[in-house]
Amino acid sequence: MKKPKLSFWQILNLSFGFLGVQIGYSLQNGNTSRILEALGADVHSIGYFWLAAPMAGLIVQPIIGLSSDKTWTRLGRRIPFILFGSIISALAMFFMPNAGNFTNLLPPLVFGAVMLLLMDTSFNITMQPFRALVGDMVNDEQKNLGYSLQSALINFGAVFGSLLPWILSKAQVSNVPQAGQKVADSVIWSFYIGGAILLLSVLWTVFRTKEYAPKEHALYNDIDLEAVDKSEKSNIFTLISNAPKIFWQLGIVQFFSWFALFLMWVYTTRAIANQVWGPEALDAKSLGFNEAGDWTGVMFAFYSAIAAIYALLIPTIAKAIGRKQTYSLSLLLGGIGLISIFLVHDKYLLLLSMVGVGFAWAAILAIPYAMLSSSLPAEKMGVYMGLFNGTITIPQIAAGLLGSTLIAFFGGAPIIIIVIAGISMAIAGLSVFFIKEKTA
């Protein structure tokens, strides 16, 4: 039997919690470097602090995927992990910007780094089952729609999360640290609000989604439950060796895509602070630097808004010119956008550079998963989606290790790192043509 066709609202409910998760993730991406610099980190070493997060994801995601494949509860098999991860994520968000208040436990910078590790690990616990949930519930004909809707929700969340500190500063919430504080109130309250929304949106998915029961799932996916029980001894290494070819082909594209994204997230604030604000932004606690931090959020919100709209158009565009061509063109435009930042010294013109990044981001969030899920065995959807996360975390680890070396090699100029990110994104776009896609 084929999986039933779901209504638009049923598909939307599957991923609605991702809206809140992405608000939190965007607050992390846009403000972590800003927070860490305020806590005492140096721009030359800041990439190392970001390393803990992808390293945790590399370990956690396959474990969560494998565990959720085997977990059947009254709530389902993916939803318990989504709920647990969201609770831990919200708690870490409440604590991280207040690292300066826990000096009796740990130095502020160490406490902030620990909260970053905990926050990103729990984001990974939550995100991976969301990917697998769409693969579980949505039939092949609707998968482009399912992952495109997920991408749109992610990006609507990213717009709000990225803009939140800027919105609060415009609402007269202090944008510079007060006496005795390390982090500005606008950032602290952004993390409070983001954590609360994260929990509420995940609860919407928890209460509005009913996963298929084991027998129902087996029937829709032509699975022999007894045969699966007998073959459960296969380990991670066996699964990797038996991964479909498209897993590795997409992995190459993913490597260059996420290498670029990591460099952009880590170095944009300092790059535009130096490029646009100049000497008045050298001090991490200065008004100029905090304005650059807010504007980084505006830039990230803008590319996320572009991505949210573009994500809804991807199924139509892919039908017209092909999924691979849509993927490749989107990544190439993202590379051009990042490289163009080198030429811009006006903060408003930086938004034009973000248009291409928005196209790339929407494609990265939707198309690889639509391509991959159609080639995966349904009974191992979760673990393979978890293993596929290695194509996200490994390039981030590589970027974190190389970023500090590159920035030193180029005389401490973060803007050059953004150009390198653009070149990497363009290479990803060209690599798409090596993918041999499964035909419907």
Side-chain angles (χ1 to χ4, degrees):
M1 288 181 64
K2 293 180 67 175
K3 293 177 190 174
K5 188 173 182 177
L6 302 181
S7 71
F8 174 88
W9 298 109
Q10 286 175 307
I11 296 174
L12 186 72
N13 288 338
L14 290 174
S15 296
F16 189 77
F18 226 141
L19 179 76
V21 175
Q22 191 61 37
I23 289 173
Y25 194 59
S26 296
L27 282 165
Q28 173 190 283
N29 288 340
N31 295 280
T32 290
S33 291
R34 176 184 184 179
I35 292 171
L36 292 175
E37 278 205 51
L39 295 176
D42 181 77
V43 68
H44 295 88
S45 61
I46 205 164
Y48 295 129
F49 288 94
W50 282 75
L51 275 177
M55 289 179 72
L58 183 64
I59 298 167
V60 168
Q61 290 257 19
I63 295 172
I64 295 301
L66 184 61
S67 300
S68 66
D69 279 341
K70 298 177 180 179
T71 300
W72 296 96
T73 70
R74 291 177 64 184
L75 286 175
R77 61 175 184 164
R78 311 296 183 192
I79 286 176
F81 293 91
I82 290 171
L83 182 59
F84 173 75
S86 69
I87 293 169
I88 303 301
S89 299
L91 290 174
M93 289 181 70
F94 297 152
F95 284 117
M96 184 181 179
N98 291 297
N101 297 331
F102 295 91
T103 52
N104 57 322
L105 296 177
L106 290 170
L109 188 55
V110 175
F111 188 90
V114 170
M115 287 301 104
L116 172 61
L117 172 61
L118 183 61
M119 184 164 53
D120 202 87
T121 301
S122 53
F123 282 151
N124 278 297
I125 292 171
T126 305
M127 287 178 176
Q128 191 281 332
F130 266 119
R131 301 288 191 197
L133 184 62
V134 173
D136 288 344
M137 301 290 292
V138 179
N139 63 37
D140 284 343
E141 291 81 5
Q142 292 184 298
K143 274 183 180 171
N144 273 352
L145 174 62
Y147 284 110
S148 293
L149 271 179
Q150 188 172 91
S151 178
L153 283 166
I154 288 170
N155 285 296
F156 285 125
V159 171
F160 182 74
S162 298
L163 280 177
L164 199 47
W166 180 80
I167 291 170
L168 292 179
S169 69
K170 294 301 178 185
Q172 305 305 310
V173 178
S174 177
N175 193 33
V176 291
Q178 301 297 306
Q181 285 186 323
K182 298 286 186 180
V183 179
D185 283 342
S186 59
V187 176
I188 294 173
W189 278 99
S190 293
F191 274 65
Y192 290 166
I193 294 168
I197 295 174
L198 188 159
L199 279 175
L200 291 173
S201 64
V202 166
L203 288 173
W204 179 273
T205 288
V206 169
F207 289 114
R208 303 290 292 182
T209 298
K210 180 174 172 55
E211 294 187 63
Y212 299 132
K215 290 182 180 179
E216 199 176 14
H217 177 75
L219 184 64
Y220 288 142
N221 293 283
D222 195 24
I223 298 170
D224 183 340
L225 290 176
E226 292 184 9
V228 170
D229 288 339
K230 292 176 184 176
S231 64
E232 280 298 333
K233 292 183 180 179
S234 55
N235 58 38
I236 294 292
F237 298 105
T238 303
L239 290 166
I240 292 173
S241 65
N242 292 332
K245 190 176 291 185
I246 195 171
F247 181 99
W248 303 107
Q249 294 167 344
L250 283 166
I252 295 171
V253 181
Q254 289 275 93
F255 181 91
F256 289 106
S257 302
W258 285 91
F259 187 90
L261 290 169
F262 186 89
L263 292 179
M264 179 188 74
W265 290 330
V266 174
Y267 293 105
T268 294
T269 296
R270 178 47 68 186
I272 68 165
N274 293 356
Q275 179 107 333
V276 178
W277 277 264
E280 63 181 282
L282 291 177
D283 184 351
K285 295 183 180 180
S286 66
L287 178 60
F289 181 77
N290 279 285
E291 286 181 348
D294 283 350
W295 198 252
T296 296
V298 173
M299 290 167 61
F300 287 4
F302 187 76
Y303 86 65
S304 297
I306 296 293
I309 297 167
Y310 184 62
L312 298 175
L313 300 175
I314 284 176
T316 303
I317 297 170
K319 187 176 289 187
I321 67 172
R323 192 153 55 180
K324 278 173 56 174
Q325 288 77 3
T326 304
Y327 193 15
S328 178
L329 178 62
S330 303
L331 295 176
L332 288 169
L333 290 172
I336 292 169
L338 286 170
I339 293 169
S340 71
I341 293 175
F342 180 78
L343 304 172
V344 179
H345 295 272
D346 179 275
K347 69 177 186 179
Y348 295 104
L349 290 179
L350 287 170
L351 298 178
L352 292 178
S353 298
M354 291 292 104
V355 173
V357 176
F359 292 155
W361 181 235
I364 289 166
L365 291 177
I367 297 178
Y369 299 97
M371 286 182 169
L372 181 66
S373 63
S374 297
S375 300
L376 295 178
E379 69 275 14
K380 292 183 171 64
M381 181 72 70
V383 67
Y384 271 119
M385 284 292 186
L387 290 170
F388 191 63
N389 189 64
T391 67
I392 295 173
T393 55
I394 290 172
Q396 291 185 69
I397 293 168
L401 291 171
L402 289 174
S404 298
T405 302
L406 289 170
I407 202 168
F409 181 79
F410 288 105
I415 192 64
I416 302 298
I417 308 303
I418 302 301
V419 173
I420 292 171
I423 294 170
S424 181
M425 189 71 80
I427 293 171
L430 296 174
S431 300
V432 171
F433 290 103
F434 293 100
I435 297 172
K436 302 296 182 186
E437 191 177 0
K438 177 182 175 182
T439 55

